[in-house]
Amino acid sequence: MNDLLGISAVTSLSHPTSKSKEAIRAINCKIYRLSLNREIQKKFIQWINEEYNGMAESLLSQMAHAVWRFETNVSNINENAMIDMMSVKTNFTYNVGQGIRSYKPEAITNSTYIRLYRKLSNSGDGALLGEKRENFTKIKADMERIYAAGVVCGDVSISVADMANCTIKWTLSPNITRQLATSRNSTLLLHIWKSWRDSTGKRMRPLFLEYLKLKNESAIADGEACIVISRTIEGWHV
């Protein structure tokens, strides 16, 4: 190791010159930095395993339950609970993204934790501030409501435009979800897909475009490249 670091060549001098003393100091600094970086990486990995994982798993579980309760029982109470969880998740992501930057990224050499660091250092939607963040959360909730409340007719001869004549109305959960999971009737599946798109897509389009606009702003505010949305918009026909 001494030969590798060049120490033997320097320390073998009977009367070290100022240049050799500088070399020794540089080597000592390098060794110190390596030791410090190892300690930083150790603490980062420890924080991930002992603190972050547990908090993130609990939060994502609560978020999933809030969305599921709303999708299976569309009500103002469940919608407000879902919005609250969206805000909690956004704040959590933002706080983690800001706090994690106290760890030096160059100190992390483990490939798995390098990827994790890059992901977690992204503040996500939390990069939006004030009214924009509130508006972004509301837009997501409004799209979720349209998605959950969409209705199609179980009779393949009746389109969304003729829903007044439908006697078999299917909602997302459990009817549509069950049919998509179990039916092998291609005519019925095509009818469900088209009717669902007609029932929800056109209503969601303006919200989705505003969602993309704010998503771009959050990405730019967080130092990321702007999301490419032109093809997405062009592909969403009225």
Side-chain angles (χ1 to χ4, degrees), residues 84-116:
D84 287 343
M85 280 308 306
M86 285 179 174
S87 297
V88 170
K89 182 176 178 293
T90 296
N91 290 334
F92 175 76
T93 303
Y94 177 78
N95 290 331
V96 168
Q98 294 299 303
I100 207 173
R101 295 175 188 182
S102 62
Y103 294 99
K104 292 165 51 182
E106 61 269 22
I108 301 167
T109 57
N110 182 294
S111 59
T112 297
Y113 288 95
I114 287 174
R115 290 193 298 271
L116 195 54

PDB file of all heavy atoms in Angstrom, residues 84-116:
ATOM      1  N   ASP A  84     -55.308  15.128   1.838  1.00  0.00           N
ATOM      2  CA  ASP A  84     -54.415  15.324   2.993  1.00  0.00           C
ATOM      3  C   ASP A  84     -53.189  14.423   2.890  1.00  0.00           C
ATOM      4  O   ASP A  84     -52.063  14.859   3.155  1.00  0.00           O
ATOM      5  CB  ASP A  84     -55.162  15.035   4.300  1.00  0.00           C
ATOM      6  CG  ASP A  84     -56.170  16.133   4.640  1.00  0.00           C
ATOM      7  OD1 ASP A  84     -56.063  17.225   4.058  1.00  0.00           O
ATOM      8  OD2 ASP A  84     -57.070  15.870   5.469  1.00  0.00           O
ATOM      9  N   MET A  85     -53.414  13.167   2.482  1.00  0.00           N
ATOM     10  CA  MET A  85     -52.295  12.228   2.360  1.00  0.00           C
ATOM     11  C   MET A  85     -51.372  12.626   1.216  1.00  0.00           C
ATOM     12  O   MET A  85     -50.155  12.459   1.299  1.00  0.00           O
ATOM     13  CB  MET A  85     -52.801  10.805   2.154  1.00  0.00           C
ATOM     14  CG  MET A  85     -53.253  10.105   3.431  1.00  0.00           C
ATOM     15  SD  MET A  85     -51.998  10.149   4.758  1.00  0.00           S
ATOM     16  CE  MET A  85     -50.578   9.453   3.929  1.00  0.00           C
ATOM     17  N   MET A  86     -51.950  13.160   0.137  1.00  0.00           N
ATOM     18  CA  MET A  86     -51.125  13.641  -0.979  1.00  0.00           C
ATOM     19  C   MET A  86     -50.198  14.757  -0.506  1.00  0.00           C
ATOM     20  O   MET A  86     -49.012  14.797  -0.850  1.00  0.00           O
ATOM     21  CB  MET A  86     -52.013  14.166  -2.115  1.00  0.00           C
ATOM     22  CG  MET A  86     -52.691  13.102  -2.943  1.00  0.00           C
ATOM     23  SD  MET A  86     -53.734  13.853  -4.245  1.00  0.00           S
ATOM     24  CE  MET A  86     -54.249  12.387  -5.153  1.00  0.00           C
ATOM     25  N   SER A  87     -50.745  15.666   0.315  1.00  0.00           N
ATOM     26  CA  SER A  87     -49.945  16.777   0.842  1.00  0.00           C
ATOM     27  C   SER A  87     -48.847  16.275   1.769  1.00  0.00           C
ATOM     28  O   SER A  87     -47.710  16.748   1.718  1.00  0.00           O
ATOM     29  CB  SER A  87     -50.848  17.769   1.585  1.00  0.00           C
ATOM     30  OG  SER A  87     -51.784  18.353   0.712  1.00  0.00           O
ATOM     31  N   VAL A  88     -49.192  15.302   2.615  1.00  0.00           N
ATOM     32  CA  VAL A  88     -48.206  14.726   3.533  1.00  0.00           C
ATOM     33  C   VAL A  88     -47.073  14.067   2.750  1.00  0.00           C
ATOM     34  O   VAL A  88     -45.890  14.241   3.066  1.00  0.00           O
ATOM     35  CB  VAL A  88     -48.870  13.689   4.473  1.00  0.00           C
ATOM     36  CG1 VAL A  88     -47.805  12.912   5.260  1.00  0.00           C
ATOM     37  CG2 VAL A  88     -49.813  14.386   5.441  1.00  0.00           C
ATOM     38  N   LYS A  89     -47.436  13.312   1.697  1.00  0.00           N
ATOM     39  CA  LYS A  89     -46.432  12.638   0.885  1.00  0.00           C
ATOM     40  C   LYS A  89     -45.541  13.648   0.157  1.00  0.00           C
ATOM     41  O   LYS A  89     -44.320  13.469   0.079  1.00  0.00           O
ATOM     42  CB  LYS A  89     -47.111  11.731  -0.140  1.00  0.00           C
ATOM     43  CG  LYS A  89     -46.142  10.941  -1.021  1.00  0.00           C
ATOM     44  CD  LYS A  89     -46.902   9.991  -1.933  1.00  0.00           C
ATOM     45  CE  LYS A  89     -45.943   9.232  -2.842  1.00  0.00           C
ATOM     46  NZ  LYS A  89     -45.276  10.111  -3.817  1.00  0.00           N
ATOM     47  N   THR A  90     -46.143  14.718  -0.378  1.00  0.00           N
ATOM     48  CA  THR A  90     -45.368  15.753  -1.071  1.00  0.00           C
ATOM     49  C   THR A  90     -44.375  16.410  -0.115  1.00  0.00           C
ATOM     50  O   THR A  90     -43.203  16.612  -0.460  1.00  0.00           O
ATOM     51  CB  THR A  90     -46.299  16.816  -1.668  1.00  0.00           C
ATOM     52  OG1 THR A  90     -47.131  16.206  -2.667  1.00  0.00           O
ATOM     53  CG2 THR A  90     -45.501  17.934  -2.329  1.00  0.00           C
ATOM     54  N   ASN A  91     -44.839  16.753   1.078  1.00  0.00           N
ATOM     55  CA  ASN A  91     -43.962  17.384   2.071  1.00  0.00           C
ATOM     56  C   ASN A  91     -42.844  16.445   2.495  1.00  0.00           C
ATOM     57  O   ASN A  91     -41.696  16.870   2.675  1.00  0.00           O
ATOM     58  CB  ASN A  91     -44.774  17.813   3.296  1.00  0.00           C
ATOM     59  CG  ASN A  91     -45.696  18.985   3.000  1.00  0.00           C
ATOM     60  OD1 ASN A  91     -45.423  19.776   2.100  1.00  0.00           O
ATOM     61  ND2 ASN A  91     -46.783  19.093   3.741  1.00  0.00           N
ATOM     62  N   PHE A  92     -43.175  15.174   2.652  1.00  0.00           N
ATOM     63  CA  PHE A  92     -42.173  14.180   3.046  1.00  0.00           C
ATOM     64  C   PHE A  92     -41.085  14.068   1.979  1.00  0.00           C
ATOM     65  O   PHE A  92     -39.889  14.091   2.281  1.00  0.00           O
ATOM     66  CB  PHE A  92     -42.846  12.826   3.258  1.00  0.00           C
ATOM     67  CG  PHE A  92     -41.890  11.701   3.542  1.00  0.00           C
ATOM     68  CD1 PHE A  92     -41.296  11.569   4.793  1.00  0.00           C
ATOM     69  CD2 PHE A  92     -41.570  10.770   2.560  1.00  0.00           C
ATOM     70  CE1 PHE A  92     -40.411  10.536   5.061  1.00  0.00           C
ATOM     71  CE2 PHE A  92     -40.684   9.740   2.819  1.00  0.00           C
ATOM     72  CZ  PHE A  92     -40.114   9.617   4.081  1.00  0.00           C
ATOM     73  N   THR A  93     -41.515  13.966   0.716  1.00  0.00           N
ATOM     74  CA  THR A  93     -40.562  13.856  -0.390  1.00  0.00           C
ATOM     75  C   THR A  93     -39.664  15.079  -0.457  1.00  0.00           C
ATOM     76  O   THR A  93     -38.445  14.972  -0.667  1.00  0.00           O
ATOM     77  CB  THR A  93     -41.304  13.674  -1.731  1.00  0.00           C
ATOM     78  OG1 THR A  93     -42.140  12.518  -1.662  1.00  0.00           O
ATOM     79  CG2 THR A  93     -40.332  13.511  -2.882  1.00  0.00           C
ATOM     80  N   TYR A  94     -40.262  16.248  -0.278  1.00  0.00           N
ATOM     81  CA  TYR A  94     -39.495  17.492  -0.331  1.00  0.00           C
ATOM     82  C   TYR A  94     -38.483  17.563   0.808  1.00  0.00           C
ATOM     83  O   TYR A  94     -37.306  17.889   0.598  1.00  0.00           O
ATOM     84  CB  TYR A  94     -40.439  18.691  -0.256  1.00  0.00           C
ATOM     85  CG  TYR A  94     -39.713  20.017  -0.224  1.00  0.00           C
ATOM     86  CD1 TYR A  94     -39.185  20.559  -1.388  1.00  0.00           C
ATOM     87  CD2 TYR A  94     -39.555  20.724   0.972  1.00  0.00           C
ATOM     88  CE1 TYR A  94     -38.509  21.774  -1.371  1.00  0.00           C
ATOM     89  CE2 TYR A  94     -38.875  21.931   0.996  1.00  0.00           C
ATOM     90  CZ  TYR A  94     -38.361  22.452  -0.168  1.00  0.00           C
ATOM     91  OH  TYR A  94     -37.681  23.640  -0.136  1.00  0.00           O
ATOM     92  N   ASN A  95     -38.916  17.255   2.026  1.00  0.00           N
ATOM     93  CA  ASN A  95     -38.026  17.329   3.183  1.00  0.00           C
ATOM     94  C   ASN A  95     -36.877  16.329   3.084  1.00  0.00           C
ATOM     95  O   ASN A  95     -35.734  16.634   3.441  1.00  0.00           O
ATOM     96  CB  ASN A  95     -38.814  17.099   4.477  1.00  0.00           C
ATOM     97  CG  ASN A  95     -39.746  18.255   4.795  1.00  0.00           C
ATOM     98  OD1 ASN A  95     -39.471  19.392   4.426  1.00  0.00           O
ATOM     99  ND2 ASN A  95     -40.854  17.978   5.460  1.00  0.00           N
ATOM    100  N   VAL A  96     -37.182  15.123   2.584  1.00  0.00           N
ATOM    101  CA  VAL A  96     -36.123  14.129   2.394  1.00  0.00           C
ATOM    102  C   VAL A  96     -35.139  14.620   1.336  1.00  0.00           C
ATOM    103  O   VAL A  96     -33.920  14.533   1.510  1.00  0.00           O
ATOM    104  CB  VAL A  96     -36.726  12.767   1.973  1.00  0.00           C
ATOM    105  CG1 VAL A  96     -35.629  11.815   1.476  1.00  0.00           C
ATOM    106  CG2 VAL A  96     -37.436  12.121   3.154  1.00  0.00           C
ATOM    107  N   GLY A  97     -35.670  15.160   0.243  1.00  0.00           N
ATOM    108  CA  GLY A  97     -34.820  15.644  -0.844  1.00  0.00           C
ATOM    109  C   GLY A  97     -33.885  16.743  -0.402  1.00  0.00           C
ATOM    110  O   GLY A  97     -32.720  16.810  -0.834  1.00  0.00           O
ATOM    111  N   GLN A  98     -34.389  17.640   0.468  1.00  0.00           N
ATOM    112  CA  GLN A  98     -33.549  18.715   0.967  1.00  0.00           C
ATOM    113  C   GLN A  98     -32.546  18.215   2.005  1.00  0.00           C
ATOM    114  O   GLN A  98     -31.367  18.571   1.980  1.00  0.00           O
ATOM    115  CB  GLN A  98     -34.431  19.816   1.585  1.00  0.00           C
ATOM    116  CG  GLN A  98     -35.321  20.528   0.586  1.00  0.00           C
ATOM    117  CD  GLN A  98     -34.532  21.244  -0.497  1.00  0.00           C
ATOM    118  OE1 GLN A  98     -33.699  22.086  -0.226  1.00  0.00           O
ATOM    119  NE2 GLN A  98     -34.818  20.906  -1.748  1.00  0.00           N
ATOM    120  N   GLY A  99     -33.023  17.380   2.915  1.00  0.00           N
ATOM    121  CA  GLY A  99     -32.160  16.897   3.991  1.00  0.00           C
ATOM    122  C   GLY A  99     -31.045  15.985   3.529  1.00  0.00           C
ATOM    123  O   GLY A  99     -29.931  16.013   4.060  1.00  0.00           O
ATOM    124  N   ILE A 100     -31.339  15.194   2.504  1.00  0.00           N
ATOM    125  CA  ILE A 100     -30.366  14.205   2.048  1.00  0.00           C
ATOM    126  C   ILE A 100     -29.149  14.862   1.401  1.00  0.00           C
ATOM    127  O   ILE A 100     -28.078  14.249   1.306  1.00  0.00           O
ATOM    128  CB  ILE A 100     -31.040  13.215   1.060  1.00  0.00           C
ATOM    129  CG1 ILE A 100     -30.332  11.867   1.095  1.00  0.00           C
ATOM    130  CG2 ILE A 100     -31.063  13.770  -0.345  1.00  0.00           C
ATOM    131  CD1 ILE A 100     -31.033  10.815   0.282  1.00  0.00           C
ATOM    132  N   ARG A 101     -29.307  16.104   0.993  1.00  0.00           N
ATOM    133  CA  ARG A 101     -28.202  16.800   0.336  1.00  0.00           C
ATOM    134  C   ARG A 101     -27.092  17.179   1.308  1.00  0.00           C
ATOM    135  O   ARG A 101     -26.042  17.685   0.903  1.00  0.00           O
ATOM    136  CB  ARG A 101     -28.736  18.035  -0.390  1.00  0.00           C
ATOM    137  CG  ARG A 101     -29.683  17.648  -1.527  1.00  0.00           C
ATOM    138  CD  ARG A 101     -30.333  18.828  -2.204  1.00  0.00           C
ATOM    139  NE  ARG A 101     -31.369  18.378  -3.143  1.00  0.00           N
ATOM    140  CZ  ARG A 101     -32.089  19.173  -3.913  1.00  0.00           C
ATOM    141  NH1 ARG A 101     -31.887  20.480  -3.856  1.00  0.00           N
ATOM    142  NH2 ARG A 101     -33.003  18.681  -4.723  1.00  0.00           N
ATOM    143  N   SER A 102     -27.333  16.941   2.609  1.00  0.00           N
ATOM    144  CA  SER A 102     -26.266  17.182   3.584  1.00  0.00           C
ATOM    145  C   SER A 102     -25.191  16.105   3.485  1.00  0.00           C
ATOM    146  O   SER A 102     -24.078  16.279   3.974  1.00  0.00           O
ATOM    147  CB  SER A 102     -26.844  17.213   5.002  1.00  0.00           C
ATOM    148  OG  SER A 102     -27.434  15.967   5.337  1.00  0.00           O
ATOM    149  N   TYR A 103     -25.549  14.970   2.844  1.00  0.00           N
ATOM    150  CA  TYR A 103     -24.553  13.923   2.589  1.00  0.00           C
ATOM    151  C   TYR A 103     -23.837  14.246   1.282  1.00  0.00           C
ATOM    152  O   TYR A 103     -24.484  14.556   0.281  1.00  0.00           O
ATOM    153  CB  TYR A 103     -25.222  12.548   2.463  1.00  0.00           C
ATOM    154  CG  TYR A 103     -25.862  12.048   3.729  1.00  0.00           C
ATOM    155  CD1 TYR A 103     -27.234  12.176   3.939  1.00  0.00           C
ATOM    156  CD2 TYR A 103     -25.102  11.426   4.722  1.00  0.00           C
ATOM    157  CE1 TYR A 103     -27.839  11.707   5.095  1.00  0.00           C
ATOM    158  CE2 TYR A 103     -25.707  10.950   5.880  1.00  0.00           C
ATOM    159  CZ  TYR A 103     -27.063  11.096   6.061  1.00  0.00           C
ATOM    160  OH  TYR A 103     -27.651  10.640   7.213  1.00  0.00           O
ATOM    161  N   LYS A 104     -22.511  14.179   1.297  1.00  0.00           N
ATOM    162  CA  LYS A 104     -21.747  14.442   0.077  1.00  0.00           C
ATOM    163  C   LYS A 104     -21.976  13.326  -0.938  1.00  0.00           C
ATOM    164  O   LYS A 104     -21.688  12.168  -0.645  1.00  0.00           O
ATOM    165  CB  LYS A 104     -20.257  14.539   0.401  1.00  0.00           C
ATOM    166  CG  LYS A 104     -19.861  15.739   1.235  1.00  0.00           C
ATOM    167  CD  LYS A 104     -18.459  15.583   1.810  1.00  0.00           C
ATOM    168  CE  LYS A 104     -17.457  15.226   0.729  1.00  0.00           C
ATOM    169  NZ  LYS A 104     -16.094  15.031   1.288  1.00  0.00           N
ATOM    170  N   PRO A 105     -22.490  13.639  -2.128  1.00  0.00           N
ATOM    171  CA  PRO A 105     -22.755  12.586  -3.116  1.00  0.00           C
ATOM    172  C   PRO A 105     -21.495  11.837  -3.539  1.00  0.00           C
ATOM    173  O   PRO A 105     -21.542  10.642  -3.817  1.00  0.00           O
ATOM    174  CB  PRO A 105     -23.382  13.341  -4.294  1.00  0.00           C
ATOM    175  CG  PRO A 105     -22.989  14.766  -4.104  1.00  0.00           C
ATOM    176  CD  PRO A 105     -22.891  14.968  -2.631  1.00  0.00           C
ATOM    177  N   GLU A 106     -20.350  12.538  -3.583  1.00  0.00           N
ATOM    178  CA  GLU A 106     -19.105  11.882  -3.995  1.00  0.00           C
ATOM    179  C   GLU A 106     -18.605  10.881  -2.958  1.00  0.00           C
ATOM    180  O   GLU A 106     -17.730  10.059  -3.247  1.00  0.00           O
ATOM    181  CB  GLU A 106     -18.017  12.919  -4.293  1.00  0.00           C
ATOM    182  CG  GLU A 106     -17.628  13.791  -3.110  1.00  0.00           C
ATOM    183  CD  GLU A 106     -18.445  15.077  -3.030  1.00  0.00           C
ATOM    184  OE1 GLU A 106     -19.557  15.116  -3.608  1.00  0.00           O
ATOM    185  OE2 GLU A 106     -17.961  16.035  -2.400  1.00  0.00           O
ATOM    186  N   ALA A 107     -19.169  10.934  -1.746  1.00  0.00           N
ATOM    187  CA  ALA A 107     -18.751  10.002  -0.696  1.00  0.00           C
ATOM    188  C   ALA A 107     -19.415   8.639  -0.860  1.00  0.00           C
ATOM    189  O   ALA A 107     -18.977   7.652  -0.269  1.00  0.00           O
ATOM    190  CB  ALA A 107     -19.067  10.577   0.680  1.00  0.00           C
ATOM    191  N   ILE A 108     -20.479   8.584  -1.666  1.00  0.00           N
ATOM    192  CA  ILE A 108     -21.238   7.341  -1.823  1.00  0.00           C
ATOM    193  C   ILE A 108     -20.748   6.613  -3.070  1.00  0.00           C
ATOM    194  O   ILE A 108     -20.866   7.118  -4.187  1.00  0.00           O
ATOM    195  CB  ILE A 108     -22.742   7.650  -1.913  1.00  0.00           C
ATOM    196  CG1 ILE A 108     -23.175   8.378  -0.642  1.00  0.00           C
ATOM    197  CG2 ILE A 108     -23.552   6.368  -2.086  1.00  0.00           C
ATOM    198  CD1 ILE A 108     -24.539   9.005  -0.722  1.00  0.00           C
ATOM    199  N   THR A 109     -20.189   5.437  -2.868  1.00  0.00           N
ATOM    200  CA  THR A 109     -19.606   4.662  -3.973  1.00  0.00           C
ATOM    201  C   THR A 109     -20.377   3.385  -4.277  1.00  0.00           C
ATOM    202  O   THR A 109     -20.205   2.801  -5.333  1.00  0.00           O
ATOM    203  CB  THR A 109     -18.140   4.308  -3.650  1.00  0.00           C
ATOM    204  OG1 THR A 109     -18.084   3.577  -2.411  1.00  0.00           O
ATOM    205  CG2 THR A 109     -17.293   5.573  -3.524  1.00  0.00           C
ATOM    206  N   ASN A 110     -21.201   2.920  -3.341  1.00  0.00           N
ATOM    207  CA  ASN A 110     -22.016   1.732  -3.564  1.00  0.00           C
ATOM    208  C   ASN A 110     -23.054   2.039  -4.645  1.00  0.00           C
ATOM    209  O   ASN A 110     -23.845   2.972  -4.512  1.00  0.00           O
ATOM    210  CB  ASN A 110     -22.697   1.328  -2.256  1.00  0.00           C
ATOM    211  CG  ASN A 110     -23.541   0.065  -2.396  1.00  0.00           C
ATOM    212  OD1 ASN A 110     -24.536   0.059  -3.097  1.00  0.00           O
ATOM    213  ND2 ASN A 110     -23.129  -0.984  -1.714  1.00  0.00           N
ATOM    214  N   SER A 111     -23.067   1.251  -5.732  1.00  0.00           N
ATOM    215  CA  SER A 111     -23.910   1.556  -6.889  1.00  0.00           C
ATOM    216  C   SER A 111     -25.400   1.610  -6.528  1.00  0.00           C
ATOM    217  O   SER A 111     -26.136   2.470  -7.043  1.00  0.00           O
ATOM    218  CB  SER A 111     -23.686   0.534  -8.003  1.00  0.00           C
ATOM    219  OG  SER A 111     -23.980  -0.778  -7.542  1.00  0.00           O
ATOM    220  N   THR A 112     -25.840   0.716  -5.651  1.00  0.00           N
ATOM    221  CA  THR A 112     -27.249   0.707  -5.249  1.00  0.00           C
ATOM    222  C   THR A 112     -27.619   1.989  -4.539  1.00  0.00           C
ATOM    223  O   THR A 112     -28.653   2.609  -4.811  1.00  0.00           O
ATOM    224  CB  THR A 112     -27.546  -0.489  -4.333  1.00  0.00           C
ATOM    225  OG1 THR A 112     -27.318  -1.707  -5.052  1.00  0.00           O
ATOM    226  CG2 THR A 112     -28.994  -0.469  -3.846  1.00  0.00           C
ATOM    227  N   TYR A 113     -26.757   2.414  -3.637  1.00  0.00           N
ATOM    228  CA  TYR A 113     -27.051   3.606  -2.847  1.00  0.00           C
ATOM    229  C   TYR A 113     -26.783   4.894  -3.624  1.00  0.00           C
ATOM    230  O   TYR A 113     -27.336   5.934  -3.283  1.00  0.00           O
ATOM    231  CB  TYR A 113     -26.276   3.563  -1.531  1.00  0.00           C
ATOM    232  CG  TYR A 113     -26.838   2.533  -0.592  1.00  0.00           C
ATOM    233  CD1 TYR A 113     -26.308   1.241  -0.536  1.00  0.00           C
ATOM    234  CD2 TYR A 113     -27.937   2.821   0.201  1.00  0.00           C
ATOM    235  CE1 TYR A 113     -26.851   0.276   0.299  1.00  0.00           C
ATOM    236  CE2 TYR A 113     -28.491   1.864   1.045  1.00  0.00           C
ATOM    237  CZ  TYR A 113     -27.949   0.598   1.091  1.00  0.00           C
ATOM    238  OH  TYR A 113     -28.495  -0.363   1.918  1.00  0.00           O
ATOM    239  N   ILE A 114     -25.967   4.817  -4.659  1.00  0.00           N
ATOM    240  CA  ILE A 114     -25.803   5.974  -5.543  1.00  0.00           C
ATOM    241  C   ILE A 114     -27.135   6.254  -6.249  1.00  0.00           C
ATOM    242  O   ILE A 114     -27.594   7.401  -6.313  1.00  0.00           O
ATOM    243  CB  ILE A 114     -24.702   5.719  -6.594  1.00  0.00           C
ATOM    244  CG1 ILE A 114     -23.306   5.773  -5.937  1.00  0.00           C
ATOM    245  CG2 ILE A 114     -24.777   6.761  -7.716  1.00  0.00           C
ATOM    246  CD1 ILE A 114     -22.186   5.386  -6.879  1.00  0.00           C
ATOM    247  N   ARG A 115     -27.761   5.200  -6.778  1.00  0.00           N
ATOM    248  CA  ARG A 115     -29.056   5.355  -7.453  1.00  0.00           C
ATOM    249  C   ARG A 115     -30.112   5.864  -6.472  1.00  0.00           C
ATOM    250  O   ARG A 115     -30.931   6.728  -6.813  1.00  0.00           O
ATOM    251  CB  ARG A 115     -29.497   4.023  -8.061  1.00  0.00           C
ATOM    252  CG  ARG A 115     -28.670   3.575  -9.254  1.00  0.00           C
ATOM    253  CD  ARG A 115     -29.342   2.440 -10.007  1.00  0.00           C
ATOM    254  NE  ARG A 115     -29.489   1.259  -9.182  1.00  0.00           N
ATOM    255  CZ  ARG A 115     -28.578   0.305  -9.070  1.00  0.00           C
ATOM    256  NH1 ARG A 115     -27.434   0.416  -9.747  1.00  0.00           N
ATOM    257  NH2 ARG A 115     -28.783  -0.751  -8.311  1.00  0.00           N
ATOM    258  N   LEU A 116     -30.070   5.322  -5.262  1.00  0.00           N
ATOM    259  CA  LEU A 116     -31.041   5.732  -4.251  1.00  0.00           C
ATOM    260  C   LEU A 116     -30.841   7.189  -3.856  1.00  0.00           C
ATOM    261  O   LEU A 116     -31.812   7.948  -3.693  1.00  0.00           O
ATOM    262  CB  LEU A 116     -30.908   4.833  -3.018  1.00  0.00           C
ATOM    263  CG  LEU A 116     -32.047   4.871  -1.993  1.00  0.00           C
ATOM    264  CD1 LEU A 116     -33.384   4.605  -2.668  1.00  0.00           C
ATOM    265  CD2 LEU A 116     -31.799   3.855  -0.895  1.00  0.00           C
TER     266      LEU A 116
END
